[in-house]
Amino acid sequence: METRNATRLCIVRHGETDWNIEKRIQGHIDVPLNAIGEAQARATAAGLRGWRFDAAYSSDLVRARRTAEIAVADRGLAVRPASGLRERHYGTLQGLTADEIRRRQPVDYGRYLARESDYGFGTGESLAEFAARVVAAVEALASAHRGQQLLLVSHGGVLDICYRRATGRGLTPPRDFPIPNAALNWFDVGDGGWRLLAWADRRHLERALEDSPE
C-alpha cells in the first residue's frame, strides 16, 4: 500500500543503560547510558553515515538525547527535543523489576502482563493514553516535515506503539517482536497511514563488535 505525501522516519531506541541490564522499568526516570550504550550510539552514527536527514528529534530524557547527540555529532545537525517521544510513565511500577512488582504489587503485576489498555498504575499513563500521545507526536513531526527524512531517537515502549500502528496490531496482544537498543527501524508516515519498511536492523552494531579490539 502506497503512503502518499510520506515522511520517511528512522526511529532508533536509545543505547543501553544499567537499568536495561537489570530489566528495571525506567519510564520517565532519567537514567543515563552506560559504556555499552555510548558505544552503541557511536555505532549508530557509523551505521547512518550513508543516509541524509533533514532534521533530528529525540525524547527529552537523557538516555535518548545522548544517543541522538552522538548519532548526529559529525553532521552539524541539532537534536531537537520532543517530549511526545518520551517513554510511557509507568506510575508506581517505575524503578522496579518485574520480579519486584510480582512480589510487592501482585494485582498490578497481572495487569502489567495483560497489557490492560485503560490502567495507569496509579500515577502513570494508561496504555491507551500513551499510544495516543506517541501516535500524535510522530504524526505531527511527519506532517511538519512532509516529504523529508527524519531521525527520531526514542524508547522501547514508543517503538512498540509504532510497530503496532504500522502493522495494524492491537495494543493488548503480547509483544512477540524484538526491540533492540540502538537498532534502526524505518517507517513511512503520510496521508495513507503508516508503513513499516525495515525493523530491528542491527548490522551496524554487529560490525562495531567485529571491529572492536579483543
Side-chain angles (χ1 to χ4, degrees):
M1 181 183 67
E2 182 183 359
T3 305
R4 299 179 305 279
N5 298 315
T7 303
R8 183 148 297 178
L9 309 175
C10 180
I11 309 182
V12 179
R13 184 185 178 192
H14 61 79
E16 184 184 273
T17 71
D18 286 343
W19 280 24
N20 286 149
I21 297 172
E22 296 170 12
K23 299 189 183 303
R24 194 171 296 281
I25 293 177
Q26 297 173 108
H28 283 198
I29 297 175
D30 228 359
V31 183
L33 298 181
N34 60 21
I36 291 175
E38 295 262 341
Q40 289 172 335
R42 292 192 295 272
T44 299
L48 292 173
R49 198 154 285 148
W51 298 96
R52 178 191 57 79
F53 294 99
D54 297 290
Y57 291 86
S58 84
S59 156
D60 55 353
L61 295 173
V62 66
R63 57 192 183 272
R65 188 176 70 247
R66 176 64 176 157
T67 302
E69 288 170 350
I70 294 172
V72 302
D74 61 352
R75 294 173 177 264
L77 196 62
V79 176
R80 309 183 199 183
S83 60
L85 299 178
R86 271 192 176 207
E87 182 60 279
R88 180 181 175 187
H89 194 304
Y90 280 94
T92 59
L93 306 191
Q94 294 193 156
L96 303 177
T97 66
D99 187 58
E100 289 168 342
I101 297 165
R102 179 182 56 79
R103 287 187 283 104
R104 301 177 192 179
Q105 300 171 222
V107 174
D108 283 341
Y109 183 68
R111 288 172 153 169
Y112 174 70
L113 292 182
R115 293 180 61 93
E116 287 190 13
S117 63
D118 60 352
Y119 187 65
F121 305 105
T123 58
E125 293 174 284
S126 71
L127 187 56
E129 290 169 337
F130 173 57
R133 164 167 68 82
V134 169
V135 169
V138 172
E139 290 184 346
L141 291 174
S143 178
H145 294 274
R146 192 178 297 272
Q148 296 183 328
Q149 186 156 279
L150 306 182
L151 175 65
L152 310 183
V153 181
S154 192
H155 304 269
V158 170
L159 274 157
D160 175 272
I161 298 302
C162 293
Y163 182 95
R164 292 170 189 270
R165 178 73 172 189
T167 61
R169 189 169 305 201
L171 293 178
T172 55
R175 182 187 297 170
D176 58 0
F177 46 92
I179 309 180
N181 290 101
L184 310 181
N185 309 280
W186 293 87
F187 299 82
D188 276 351
V189 177
D191 295 342
W194 293 50
R195 186 159 66 104
L196 178 62
L197 304 174
W199 183 256
D201 182 355
R202 300 183 73 255
R203 288 173 293 178
H204 57 295
L205 301 175
E206 293 161 0
R207 286 194 299 270
L209 197 60
E210 291 169 0
D211 293 343
S212 63
E214 295 182 2

